[in-house]
Amino acid sequence: MRIGIGSDQSGSECKERLKDRLTGEGHAAEDVSPGNQSRGDYQKITGELSSAIYTGRVERGVLICSRAIGACVMANKHPGVRAALCHDLNSARQGVQDDGMNLLVMGASGVTLDWACEVAAAFINATHLPGEQAFGIPPRRLARIVEHIRKNLDTPLAVGTLSRLAEMSQSHFSKMFKLSTGLAPHQFVLQERINRSKELLRQDDAKIVDVALEVGFENQAHFTTVFGNLVGMTPRQFQRSSDYEPTVMYGPSLEAAQSL
C-alpha cells in the first residue's frame, strides 16, 4: 500500500520508526516532512498529506504532531479526506471499517514509539466495509462539473446552476456531490477558489484585491477572511513566505475520468 507519513518536530522520532517499519513490511512510504520540522509546521504538513490522499498519490496517511486536534480539523476541510485522532487499536481499525477513515492522526505526546506503530498497523491493515449507501455522482459527470467550476471561478457558481449541469435536483445533487468529494458544493467551490488564488498570489506583483476579484470574491476583506480560515495565514503572509506549499488541484480531472 502507498502510505504518506508526516510529522512536526515533536513527532519526528516516531515518524522515522514508523517509516522503517512500513518499508520493512513492503509498503511504499512517502515522507512529506523530510528534515527537521518546527511545531508550527503541522499546518503545511497536514495540507501536504491531505493533498496526497485526495489526488491519489497515497492511499492512506499517518500524521504524528503536537497539534493533533487542529490537524484533524484542518485535514477534514480537504475534499475526500476523512481524518481522525486515534490512540487505540479499536478506534483506528473501526475508523477505517465503518467510516472510511484515510488519515490517522496521533498526538506526539500521547503515544510511545512502539504503540504508535501498533496503532498505525491496525489502521493500515483494516479494510473499509461500506454499508448501504449511494455511489455518488458518476465519475465522468463529476469531472465535467469540476471542470466547469475551475473554468468559472469568477462567477457566482450557485448550487442551482451546478445541479442543472448534473441533471439533478438541488437537494439530490448536494447529497451526491458531498458523497463524491467529501465537501458540500459551496465548500468545494471555496476550496477551488483558494487553490487558484494561491497560484495567482505566487506571481510577481500580484495585487491581493485583483486576485480576490479574479477568483470570485466580492471584495478583498471577504477573501482575506476565507483564505485565513482555510490556509491558516493571510494572503499577504502567504505572498511573503519563502516556502510555499505545492499547487494542488482537487477533484478528478476530465481526462482521468474519461479513462475510467
Side-chain angles (χ1 to χ4, degrees):
M1 183 180 290
R2 301 186 307 278
I3 309 295
I5 57 175
S7 74
D8 61 7
Q9 189 176 42
S10 64
S12 59
E13 184 179 0
C14 186
K15 178 197 67 177
E16 292 300 323
R17 174 79 67 85
L18 177 59
K19 183 165 60 175
D20 289 342
R21 176 164 173 169
L22 291 174
T23 302
E25 293 176 349
H27 297 289
E30 177 182 342
D31 188 350
V32 304
S33 56
N36 294 324
Q37 304 289 329
S38 68
R39 288 172 61 89
D41 283 342
Y42 85 95
Q43 292 180 325
K44 178 183 177 183
I45 297 162
T46 301
E48 294 273 8
L49 268 178
S50 300
S51 300
I53 290 169
Y54 192 69
T55 55
R57 200 168 76 238
V58 301
E59 297 169 76
R60 295 185 191 172
V62 179
L63 173 62
I64 308 105
C65 65
S66 58
R67 299 282 299 277
I69 294 177
C72 285
V73 172
M74 182 178 177
N76 284 321
K77 294 179 180 179
H78 289 253
V81 176
R82 295 172 294 278
L85 173 64
C86 300
H87 286 162
D88 65 277
L89 303 182
N90 188 56
S91 295
R93 187 180 300 112
Q94 286 195 309
V96 177
Q97 292 176 346
D98 299 340
D99 302 302
M101 180 175 73
N102 52 20
L103 177 55
L104 168 67
V105 182
M106 292 183 281
S109 61
V111 289
T112 64
L113 300 183
D114 289 336
W115 187 246
C117 289
E118 294 302 317
V119 175
F123 163 70
I124 291 167
N125 293 327
T127 302
H128 181 37
L129 303 173
E132 292 184 7
Q133 58 178 315
F135 292 97
I137 299 173
R140 292 187 182 182
R141 191 181 305 182
L142 178 62
R144 288 197 297 269
I145 295 166
V146 171
E147 197 81 4
H148 177 82
I149 290 172
R150 290 175 178 163
K151 290 180 177 179
N152 296 276
L153 290 174
D154 59 338
T155 67
L157 289 172
V159 175
T161 302
L162 299 177
S163 65
R164 286 192 295 272
L165 184 64
E167 300 178 351
M168 297 177 178
S169 68
Q170 289 192 35
S171 59
H172 186 59
F173 169 75
S174 296
K175 179 181 178 181
M176 293 298 99
F177 189 90
K178 186 170 184 178
L179 186 61
S180 298
T181 66
L183 288 179
H186 74 279
Q187 293 174 322
F188 186 89
V189 170
L190 279 181
Q191 185 74 65
E192 288 295 319
R193 284 180 168 145
I194 295 305
N195 288 341
R196 176 59 180 153
S197 73
K198 288 180 181 180
E199 298 176 9
L200 297 174
L201 288 169
R202 292 190 183 101
Q203 298 176 5
D204 294 337
D205 301 322
K207 294 182 179 180
I208 293 176
V209 63
D210 292 338
V211 171
L213 296 175
E214 186 167 342
V215 297
F217 289 90
E218 293 184 358
N219 53 62
Q220 181 176 333
H222 185 210
F223 169 61
T224 298
T225 299
V226 174
F227 192 97
N229 288 338
L230 293 182
V231 182
M233 65 179 74
T234 67
R236 182 70 67 194
Q237 290 170 329
F238 181 85
Q239 277 188 314
R240 292 174 177 173
S241 172
S242 58
D243 186 18
Y244 296 136
E245 59 185 271
T247 300
V248 174
M249 294 297 288
Y250 295 107
S253 68
L254 186 59
E255 293 79 10
Q258 288 174 337
S259 65
L260 295 176

